[in-house]
Amino acid sequence: MPVEQGTPSAATTVTSPDPAPAGTPARRGAGRGLGPGALVALGWLAGLSVLALLGDALPFIGDPSRMTSLPYEPPSSAHPLGTDEIGRDVLSRVVYAARVSLPIAAGAVAVAMLVGGIIGLLTGFLRGTVDEVGQWLLDVLVSFPPLILAMAVTAFLGRSPVILAVILGLLFVPPAARLVRTHTMATSTREYVVAARVLGASRIRIVFREIVPAVVPHLLAYAVLAASAVIVIEGALSFLGLSIPPPTPTWGGMITAARDGLAEAPHVLLVPVAVLFATVLALNGLADTLRSRLVETR
């Protein structure tokens, strides 16, 4: 039977899949780069870290404890950020103070994420008695006021960077553990985890192959946010004289020392305040970016 012209026959008709709408990525959030705010935050943190690491080799960074000029000198070519109350270079002290705050924040976050992550995985995956005991221990730890606990422990054990990092890290173990526990419990009921159990996969394999990859993005975003809180708490301890003792510079210690000369030389106070504020703001912005890129797109 002849086929009418312009009408495709059944044998030649091809059904193509509906094309994806233009501009729609295959995965939500795919193809998006970091925004300008996140790039500025990364640039600030990277620049501050490089200055802290290479301070000894840079010509404009001197000994932060040496009196090189008159007290409360305004910014000049010799001292770009001026001098403090006894003639020490403010720029050098701010840079060297980053060697205190950044490693303490990194160490505290590492302690919190490691200990809290292990507790959260165990309590969220095993549940039952293990979960009840773990939640009780976390309730005991979180019942201590953070600053009072840090003050008491540093007064008894000393004020070394390692002790401060461990103590401040323990303060963030309960929220990290509960975050991991929540996402572990949610992930362990998903179809692919149930299928792995049915196929006979061991508990260790299920935890490390199925649950941990789903939990890590949430923990990473929280880790950056916790780092900003650690820097604020360490600055508060320095302000109270309970952090690293002088003559090692700290941002909080610089703020404390500059209070008496605020009317005469406000820049001595404003510089460490501005650096502390910018660092915390950068970490908070980076945490928001990580959460939107790693968590909300999953």
Side-chain angles (χ1 to χ4, degrees):
M1 179 178 179
V3 181
E4 295 183 4
Q5 188 176 6
T7 304
S9 63
T12 59
T13 301
V14 178
T15 303
S16 60
D18 295 334
T24 302
R27 178 184 174 195
R28 184 187 170 198
R32 292 187 301 172
L34 295 177
L39 293 176
V40 172
L42 282 175
W44 170 262
L45 295 173
L48 189 63
S49 301
V50 170
L51 286 176
L53 290 173
L54 303 179
D56 295 330
L58 299 175
F60 54 90
I61 304 296
D63 186 350
S65 302
R66 191 164 68 93
M67 293 176 285
T68 59
S69 185
L70 296 175
Y72 294 136
E73 274 199 4
S76 62
S77 58
H79 304 286
L81 297 180
T83 61
D84 66 1
E85 69 279 358
I86 59 174
R88 297 172 297 190
D89 184 65
V90 173
L91 175 60
S92 299
R93 292 183 62 76
V94 165
V95 170
Y96 274 83
R99 291 186 173 184
V100 175
S101 295
L102 297 183
I104 287 177
V109 167
V111 171
M113 299 306 108
L114 179 62
V115 177
I118 293 174
I119 294 175
L121 282 173
L122 291 176
T123 56
F125 187 73
L126 298 178
R127 305 189 186 186
T129 304
V130 174
D131 188 22
E132 293 177 1
V133 173
Q135 293 307 305
W136 179 80
L137 291 175
L138 294 177
D139 288 337
V140 171
L141 185 58
V142 81
S143 64
F144 290 99
L147 273 179
I148 295 178
L149 177 62
M151 291 166 58
V153 174
T154 53
F156 181 73
L157 297 178
R159 295 180 286 172
S160 70
V162 174
I163 292 176
L164 281 172
V166 172
I167 296 306
L168 295 178
L170 291 177
L171 297 178
F172 290 88
V173 165
R178 285 170 175 165
L179 175 70
V180 173
R181 172 181 176 270
T182 298
H183 291 289
T184 298
M185 295 177 70
T187 305
S188 61
T189 58
R190 292 184 177 178
E191 293 82 358
Y192 60 88
V193 178
V194 175
R197 285 198 182 98
V198 172
L199 293 174
S202 64
R203 288 183 171 181
I204 295 178
R205 181 181 178 86
I206 292 175
V207 168
F208 285 99
R209 291 291 299 273
E210 310 295 347
I211 296 179
V212 169
V215 171
V216 165
H218 300 273
L219 193 60
L220 182 60
Y222 175 73
V224 179
L225 189 64
S228 67
V230 170
I231 289 177
V232 172
I233 295 176
E234 190 277 328
L237 291 175
S238 298
F239 184 80
L240 297 173
L242 297 172
S243 185
I244 306 301
T248 302
T250 61
W251 292 332
M254 293 178 66
I255 295 171
T256 303
R259 288 183 303 171
D260 296 334
L262 179 59
E264 183 178 356
H267 65 278
V268 180
L269 176 66
L270 294 177
V271 168
V273 169
V275 173
L276 179 61
F277 171 79
T279 303
V280 173
L281 182 64
L283 288 170
N284 287 337
L286 189 59
D288 288 340
T289 301
L290 288 175
R291 183 167 57 250
S292 63
R293 297 297 189 271
L294 300 180
V295 176
E296 295 177 4
T297 58
R298 292 183 65 84

